[in-house]
Amino acid sequence: GFPRVPSLGGYEKDAGQGCAYYSAGLMRATIPGRHGHPSVTVWGKTGSTYGYTDGMFTSPDLRRRMVYCFNPVTGGGNDMVLVNQIITAAFAP
């Protein structure tokens, strides 16, 4: 496993749940467990510019992988709400 390191200014509702979740381009996202299943942690990278967002994530054992790309209409930067929904749809138990 990877250590949980508190993030300066982090809070429980951000992608890292109050802990650091990216470094040197690598990000961690944890999908809450549902229906008796444990939470799932995935690793990946996102990127964006005005009107364009993409990313890729994988399970730690590399057995499950996904890539996404979309064109947000809400302005520049990552649209993290949609990104979290995409990751959850791909990796939720």
Side-chain angles (χ1 to χ4, degrees):
F2 294 89
R4 288 186 54 84
V5 179
S7 177
L8 181 62
Y11 61 100
E12 287 299 314
K13 293 189 179 199
D14 67 15
Q17 299 174 334
C19 292
Y21 63 96
Y22 64 91
S23 174
L26 188 62
M27 295 177 63
R28 180 185 74 222
T30 300
I31 297 134
R34 297 186 300 188
H35 310 294
H37 293 280
S39 62
V40 176
T41 298
V42 296
W43 292 88
K45 174 73 177 103
T46 63
S48 66
T49 189
Y50 186 81
Y52 182 80
T53 296
D54 64 359
M56 58 191 147
F57 284 87
T58 184
S59 59
D61 63 6
L62 304 178
R63 294 181 71 195
R64 192 167 211 182
R65 299 170 228 162
M66 60 89 65
V67 175
Y68 67 86
C69 174
F70 64 93
N71 301 100
V73 295
T74 57
N78 275 342
D79 191 335
M80 288 308 291
V81 171
L82 289 174
V83 170
N84 285 334
Q85 289 174 346
I86 291 167
I87 294 169
T88 298
F91 291 100

